[in-house]
Amino acid sequence: MKRHSGKYVFISILGIIVVIFSVIYFKSKLMISPKNRPEVTLIQIDSNKDGQSSHINISYDEISDELNENLLSILYDTNIRNKMIPLPNSYTLYDGSTYITIKISADDAIINIYLCNDKQYSYVEINANHYWVVNAEDVYENVYRVLFD
């Protein structure tokens, strides 16, 4: 009987370790901190509406201070989480889809933010590390409003 109880103790301890690791690994953190002096350097928008594809590039020189501040104010409140599932290798520009890429330069990082109206394609790359965007649909909608309203 003692052999079986030792086995259950081992499995219980292993389960607790897995839970603790998961909580730590998948804990949300802020995407961007104002103290790192971030600045939007490029915005790319790819969309397909009614069979018509369009591609818009807004370079650093074309990004107004107001647009920069409005986008950063949304992103300051955005959380990200580590991811274990690999990213889709590519995306299809299907009818009704819009992909927004925002590149940000900060003191300690290069940040690429990929947002889409299909949340499986919304993620963040910070210095070659990939993260899920928490509440990606809301972040996409808020960024879309700033860009197109």
Side-chain angles (χ1 to χ4, degrees):
M1 190 131 175
K2 281 192 173 194
R3 278 196 152 156
H4 292 295
S5 66
K7 183 176 172 181
Y8 294 126
V9 169
F10 175 75
I11 291 172
S12 297
I13 291 172
L14 185 61
I16 291 170
I17 290 170
V18 168
V19 168
I20 291 170
F21 173 76
S22 295
V23 167
I24 292 170
Y25 186 78
F26 292 110
K27 182 180 178 187
S28 294
K29 62 182 179 179
L30 286 175
M31 179 190 308
I32 298 173
S33 170
K35 68 181 178 185
N36 294 335
R37 298 186 312 218
E39 193 168 31
V40 177
T41 58
L42 178 67
I43 302 167
Q44 295 175 322
I45 305 161
D46 294 303
S47 65
N48 186 346
K49 294 189 181 175
D50 300 324
Q52 296 291 326
S53 338
S54 65
H55 179 79
I56 300 169
N57 270 332
I58 304 172
S59 67
Y60 176 75
D61 295 333
E62 299 170 310
I63 299 169
S64 68
D65 290 340
E66 180 183 6
L67 178 58
N68 184 63
E69 289 173 23
N70 290 340
L71 288 172
L72 288 175
S73 70
I74 294 167
L75 301 173
Y76 288 149
D77 293 330
T78 301
N79 286 313
I80 57 175
R81 188 173 288 140
N82 284 324
K83 60 188 301 167
M84 291 186 71
I85 300 170
L87 300 169
N89 289 333
S90 64
Y91 62 85
T92 302
L93 200 56
Y94 58 87
D95 195 37
S97 62
T98 302
Y99 297 88
I100 301 170
T101 303
I102 301 171
K103 297 188 183 265
I104 295 177
S105 178
D107 284 346
D108 63 347
I110 300 298
I111 304 164
N112 296 314
I113 303 163
Y114 303 96
L115 299 170
C116 179
N117 54 340
D118 182 350
K119 73 176 183 176
Q120 73 171 328
Y121 296 106
S122 293
Y123 65 95
V124 177
E125 180 182 0
I126 302 174
N127 296 333
N129 295 315
H130 296 88
Y131 303 90
W132 288 117
V133 177
V134 177
N135 296 324
E137 299 93 346
D138 294 338
V139 176
Y140 169 83
E141 289 296 326
N142 291 334
V143 167
Y144 188 90
R145 266 191 237 110
V146 165
L147 292 172
F148 293 104
D149 283 352

